[in-house]
Amino acid sequence: MLKETKPLTELQLVLFELASEHYAVDSSNVREVMRMQNITRVPGAPTFVKGVINLRGKVMPVLDLGKRLGLPGGEHGKDARIVVVEVGGQSIGMIVDGVSEVLRIPLSIVEPPSSLVTPDDLNYVIGVAKLENELVILLDLDKLLNASEKRTLSVGGRGDSQN
Amino acid sequence: MSRTTGTEITREELKVFLEEADEQIGLLDRDIVRLETEGDNPDLLQEIFRAAHTLKGSSAMLGHECMAELTHAMESLLDGLRNRQIVVNAEVIDSLLYSLDVLKMLEEDLASCKDGSLVDISLAVARLESATERARGVVVPSLDMAEADTVSMERAGKHESAVGNSLAGTDDDHGRMTISANQGGHTSFQSVRVDVRILDNLMNMVEELVIDRSRISQINRVLESRYAGDELVRDLSQTSNHIAKVINELQQDVMQVRMVQIGTLFGSFPRLVRDLAQKQKKRVDFVMEGEDTELDRNIIEHIRDPLIQLLRNAIDHGTENPEEREAAGKSPMAAVKLSASQEEGHIVISVEDDGRGIDIEAAKDVSVRKELISAEEASRLSAAEAVNLIFMPGVSTAERVTDVSGRGVGLDVVKANIEKLNGTIMTESKSGEGTKFIVTLPLTIALIQGLMVSVDKTIYVMPLAFVTETMRIEPQKIETIRGREVIRVRDYIAPLLRIDGAPCMKTNGLSSGDKGFVVVARYSDISVGIIVDELMEQQEFVVKPLSRYLCDVRTLAGATILGDGQVALIVDIPTLVRMSAYQRQ
């Protein structure tokens, strides 16, 4: 009930960790959080695509979000989770090092990204939220998963003809 | 009764009417053409009469006067045929078909909620009436438009004047017929329209149940061995057995719901063939077989255009005109046969004509001229191989270009569309004797027969439709051609590939070669050997689309979910073969 009434002053976020940094996405995009499970590797897929899993009878791609963001990282520990988000009508899983909490923050503590990150990232970083104990990087899922990927992925693709 | 438009009837009424009209018009579409050859078949006449009559009844109820008037005129003619007062002739058929076209236009206008259709029915009514009169032996001066107008004006004023007394006697009969036709309508067409998306969702849920079912029985087995003799465990296993049975039935029924008789698709073809043949002054005896063959609705939707193209091809290029046929010592009437049947988990649809056959030399010439193959390659092709050149883009051996086919676009598109459905197309042709196109399709695109293999601890599924054989790799049998490894499979050489489409190079070659296997896959006359670590079982797999996110991974046709809930990937063999062919060039 709060989300609709105060969309401009508040953000509801899902916070998670990646390479010892804090990230967050808008909670309205997040469908569920799953434990790590066996992921079927897809040969020929972009390197940041870890593979596909069975999400209640549907085949869902899972990304290594760290790799997608160009962060250093290796094996996923036991706290690793798959955050299932819905972007542009399709479900995508993102592997993160751990999910910490769901948080509501006032927009006023969010700083635009300009001076803090490299221009390359401007595209999908909405801003940085200054919490009491930590800085949280807010990601724009639409830009992160859809716009940029679609461009690179659709080259030579077969499009939707199979649907 | 006034001419009613969308404002006076409810949306629901209109929908019901349109659905019924669709059914009856479809029936007329199919049956009127049959009259040409079976004009004396009383059952057929009765069926057509009833369709026209039902349409008349329901359009009158809706208050659609134009449609009611037109169907009334059709019905009068059909009544005469039914009672043997008149005999079928070309004019009768033409007038009926013309009226059917007008009827379709009226229906279309109604469906698109056009206020007041501009379609003029007067000519159709006049043609029907004049055909009726003439067939009765009453001499009617040949028809012109002015006369048509007066006829229809008279009709508008006074209903029975034009056709006269012969109709009066049948009016009682109409009253009775309405009742019986309606009753027939209610019992024979009990169906519900369901959104395909809902069916797909149902299917997904059933598949999950299937996976859970195998998990439950696994757990059950463990419990049984651990607590043998425990009553509760016994109850559990009984219940889980029962659930398994119900799930099986549920799965079969949901699959069944997706199936549609191919006859629903064939319905409009007789008319199409007739019109094409008439336009080209050819005489064609068109036969359809196996209309009750069932096919997944997804496939039905996508197979329509390819089949139309094949039929057009048969009539345009396959069949000759009567003079040519007689000169060749054939019956002037050409035969075109469309048949469907189910054969071992596949649907086979063939389009066959007894025409002139494919000119293989012409096909070779065109292919060489368009630089699709070299002259030397052309000379090496066997007749059976050369026939399939007609599936190459730009190849057409047609002497002239008609408005429907002959420009060399068509068969390559037909082939591509059929392959998209995991199907194949083949041609057999004998010069002077005819051509046969054989389309083989899976029963459903949701299910495929596949061979499970493992590569690098990942499980893949190879569609069996393309797998010709499997063999153990024997390192001494692997040879190289310019650094690429190939293997000899009997009398031909197949390049070796990996599942990701990468060719096998000698340098990073088969270190694990001694324990591997090769799956030999064949597609459009090219064979490749795909290296795998292990061969596993063959079974039926449910094909799931890969996410759009992965749509550029071209060597995969989809994914499937295994009994343990893991995802396995389905290999797109045509693409793999095509990629291998490009790499070779």
Side-chain angles (χ1 to χ4, degrees):
Chain A
M1 67 177 200
L2 295 167
K3 215 171 69 187
E4 289 91 323
T5 50
K6 305 175 184 169
L8 289 171
T9 57
E10 244 185 22
L11 287 172
Q12 190 167 350
L13 302 171
V14 173
L15 265 64
F16 53 85
E17 273 115 59
L18 260 181
S20 316
E21 288 181 328
H22 305 280
Y23 288 83
V25 293
D26 194 308
S27 68
S28 64
N29 288 116
V30 178
R31 291 284 157 271
E32 62 188 292
V33 176
M34 305 167 81
R35 290 187 171 278
M36 278 300 279
Q37 50 180 290
N38 240 332
I39 297 174
T40 304
R41 206 172 55 88
V42 179
T47 48
F48 57 84
V49 175
K50 190 85 178 167
V52 288
I53 61 169
N54 166 14
L55 179 74
R56 280 186 299 284
K58 288 200 174 111
V59 175
M60 178 180 77
V62 177
L63 311 186
D64 186 331
L65 190 58
K67 257 195 195 147
R68 173 68 189 95
L69 298 176
L71 299 172
E75 288 302 294
H76 302 287
K78 69 172 169 45
D79 290 334
R81 294 286 183 275
I82 299 172
V83 178
V84 179
V85 296
E86 199 171 298
V87 178
Q90 54 181 324
S91 299
I92 295 172
M94 310 186 303
I95 301 175
V96 300
D97 291 344
V99 175
S100 37
E101 56 188 325
V102 178
L103 200 67
R104 188 170 290 136
I105 60 159
L107 253 188
S108 57
I109 65 163
V110 177
E111 186 149 310
S114 53
S115 58
L116 296 163
V117 286
T118 61
D120 271 357
D121 296 341
L122 278 175
N123 204 9
Y124 48 76
V125 174
I126 298 170
V128 176
K130 297 167 289 183
L131 305 186
E132 253 174 66
N133 307 320
E134 58 207 34
L135 294 176
V136 177
I137 302 163
L138 309 185
L139 297 175
D140 182 337
L141 284 175
D142 253 347
K143 292 214 176 88
L144 180 68
L145 301 177
N146 236 357
S148 64
E149 294 330 315
K150 260 193 181 155
R151 257 200 313 277
T152 52
L153 286 177
S154 66
V155 176
R158 334 178 238 225
D160 291 348
S161 58
Q162 301 261 319
N163 291 336
Chain B
M1 229 182 326
S2 67
R3 172 87 168 75
T4 313
T5 53
T7 49
E8 291 165 53
I9 45 170
T10 67
R11 199 170 277 275
E12 197 54 32
E13 276 169 345
L14 183 65
K15 200 176 141 222
V16 170
F17 171 78
L18 286 173
E19 277 173 22
E20 188 183 54
D22 257 351
E23 244 156 45
Q24 303 301 336
I25 288 176
L27 195 114
L28 289 172
D29 222 1
R30 203 170 58 230
D31 285 353
I32 291 176
V33 178
R34 278 174 64 198
L35 271 184
E36 266 181 346
T37 49
E38 302 174 53
D40 50 358
N41 176 347
D43 292 340
L44 181 65
L45 283 168
Q46 184 64 27
E47 192 174 82
I48 300 176
F49 175 83
R50 205 172 282 170
H53 186 82
T54 308
L55 270 176
K56 183 181 99 166
S58 48
S59 53
M61 231 153 69
L62 196 76
H64 196 311
E65 263 188 16
C66 287
M67 204 184 275
E69 189 183 339
L70 179 60
T71 43
H72 175 76
M74 289 171 81
E75 187 196 49
S76 307
L77 196 165
L78 291 164
D79 193 45
L81 287 173
R82 192 171 62 133
N83 298 331
R84 313 218 166 260
Q85 291 161 331
I86 53 178
V87 187
V88 173
N89 60 28
E91 194 189 354
V92 165
I93 304 264
D94 282 342
S95 68
L96 282 171
L97 285 176
Y98 176 71
S99 307
L100 185 59
D101 286 340
V102 176
L103 206 54
K104 284 182 195 163
M105 288 190 263
L106 286 172
E107 195 213 356
E108 244 166 63
D109 283 354
L110 200 58
S112 57
C113 289
K114 268 194 202 153
D115 236 16
S117 173
L118 293 173
V119 177
D120 185 4
I121 62 159
S122 55
L123 182 61
V125 172
R127 276 183 71 172
L128 284 169
E129 284 167 355
S130 110
T132 313
E133 291 307 309
R134 244 198 277 240
R136 278 212 176 99
V138 182
V139 181
V140 180
S142 84
L143 197 66
D144 60 39
M145 277 309 290
E147 201 178 344
D149 278 346
T150 44
V151 174
S152 67
M153 259 149 54
E154 266 176 53
R155 289 191 56 82
K158 199 174 153 206
H159 230 78
E160 264 124 33
S161 65
V163 192
N165 295 335
S166 62
L167 262 181
T170 57
D171 265 347
D172 284 347
D173 191 29
H174 293 164
R176 224 167 354 103
M177 281 298 302
T178 310
I179 296 161
S180 65
N182 278 347
Q183 279 170 346
H186 282 296
T187 48
S188 58
F189 297 119
Q190 266 195 6
S191 58
V192 186
R193 278 165 197 244
V194 183
D195 191 327
V196 181
R197 277 173 305 183
I198 295 178
L199 285 183
D200 288 342
N201 270 341
L202 268 179
M203 185 80 170
N204 265 335
M205 288 189 279
V206 168
E207 281 156 15
E208 273 179 66
L209 282 177
V210 170
I211 293 162
D212 286 346
R213 178 193 60 192
S214 50
R215 274 185 197 156
I216 288 179
S217 55
Q218 254 170 14
I219 295 169
N220 202 48
R221 272 199 298 277
V222 176
L223 284 176
E224 270 174 352
S225 63
R226 202 174 292 175
Y227 307 102
D230 189 307
E231 211 152 286
L232 215 51
V233 171
R234 215 168 41 228
D235 278 359
L236 181 67
S237 59
Q238 266 172 15
T239 315
S240 93
N241 279 346
H242 182 247
I243 288 180
K245 225 170 76 188
V246 174
I247 291 175
N248 273 345
E249 277 170 32
L250 188 62
Q251 189 183 20
Q252 270 164 24
D253 281 359
V254 170
M255 291 298 297
Q256 192 57 42
V257 170
R258 296 170 56 92
M259 297 301 231
V260 181
Q261 289 197 353
I262 203 164
T264 57
L265 180 65
F266 284 6
S268 60
F269 291 169
R271 176 71 191 278
L272 182 111
V273 170
R274 177 190 184 274
D275 287 356
L276 275 174
Q278 208 170 46
K279 214 188 268 175
Q280 302 184 28
K281 307 216 166 21
K282 288 177 177 174
R283 292 177 61 198
V284 174
D285 178 24
F286 181 55
V287 181
M288 299 194 294
E289 277 176 7
E291 284 113 311
D292 56 351
T293 309
E294 288 190 324
L295 209 57
D296 191 289
R297 64 189 339 123
N298 276 338
I299 297 187
I300 294 254
E301 277 165 29
H302 292 109
I303 196 66
R304 181 191 175 82
D305 289 346
L307 284 184
I308 288 178
Q309 193 64 38
L310 287 179
L311 284 172
R312 286 177 163 171
N313 196 73
I315 291 152
D316 278 5
H317 311 320
T319 59
E320 315 93 328
N321 56 37
E323 300 79 49
E324 201 179 323
R325 288 182 66 88
E326 277 181 324
K330 293 182 183 177
S331 136
M333 177 85 92
V336 173
K337 190 165 100 179
L338 172 66
S339 68
S341 62
Q342 187 179 337
E343 288 172 19
E344 290 178 30
H346 283 97
I347 297 294
V348 179
I349 304 173
S350 66
V351 177
E352 191 175 1
D353 67 64
D354 67 345
R356 57 172 77 94
I358 293 169
D359 186 341
I360 289 171
E361 289 311 314
K364 281 186 186 174
D365 286 350
V366 174
S367 306
V368 172
R369 203 166 56 235
K370 300 212 167 173
E371 294 177 355
L372 297 165
I373 55 170
S374 70
E376 196 229 332
E377 277 176 302
S379 65
R380 269 191 283 126
L381 289 175
S382 71
E385 284 169 331
V387 162
N388 288 306
L389 286 174
I390 57 168
F391 292 115
M392 303 259 260
V395 177
S396 171
T397 62
E399 290 155 34
R400 70 206 142 80
V401 171
T402 70
D403 60 341
V404 284
S405 54
R407 291 192 184 86
V409 291
L411 287 176
D412 58 322
V413 177
V414 168
K415 186 175 190 204
N417 285 335
I418 287 168
E419 279 165 4
K420 246 186 233 163
L421 302 170
N422 282 330
T424 57
I425 180 165
M426 276 178 12
T427 327
E428 290 168 7
S429 181
K430 269 198 182 144
S431 182
E433 287 177 33
T435 308
K436 185 176 186 180
F437 287 95
I438 304 161
V439 177
T440 309
L441 294 166
L443 274 184
T444 152
I445 24 185
L447 278 182
I448 59 156
Q449 288 290 330
L451 167 69
M452 254 160 70
V453 300
S454 83
V455 180
D456 209 4
K457 297 191 190 80
T458 306
I459 294 174
Y460 294 88
V461 174
M462 308 263 191
L464 272 187
F466 300 106
V467 174
T468 50
E469 61 192 289
T470 58
M471 51 203 263
R472 192 174 277 282
I473 286 190
E474 292 164 53
Q476 68 272 21
K477 289 234 177 105
I478 297 173
E479 294 165 74
T480 57
I481 293 181
R482 298 172 69 184
R484 256 193 84 177
E485 286 178 323
V486 297
I487 193 161
R488 249 190 257 208
V489 184
R490 282 195 292 279
D491 57 339
Y492 55 86
I493 295 168
L496 286 173
L497 304 175
R498 293 179 191 291
I499 224 141
D500 58 5
C504 294
M505 296 301 184
K506 187 68 183 171
T507 43
N508 61 357
L510 301 162
S511 48
S512 63
D514 353 346
K515 63 180 168 87
F517 291 85
V518 173
V519 176
V520 181
R522 188 177 178 82
Y523 166 75
S524 89
D525 291 333
I526 302 172
S527 288
V528 298
I530 303 164
I531 296 176
V532 302
D533 296 338
E534 204 184 331
L535 300 176
M536 298 156 87
E537 65 249 57
Q538 291 180 12
Q539 64 179 75
E540 202 162 63
F541 296 94
V542 179
V543 182
K544 307 263 180 182
L546 270 181
S547 157
R548 251 185 298 154
Y549 209 74
L550 294 169
C551 68
D552 77 326
V553 183
R554 279 177 295 160
T555 52
L556 299 175
T560 191
I561 294 169
L562 303 175
D564 62 359
Q566 294 294 309
V567 178
L569 301 167
I570 299 169
V571 180
D572 184 344
I573 288 179
T575 304
L576 212 55
V577 169
R578 231 173 283 144
M579 282 170 67
S580 139
Y582 287 138
Q583 281 161 357
R584 205 165 40 175
Q585 280 163 6

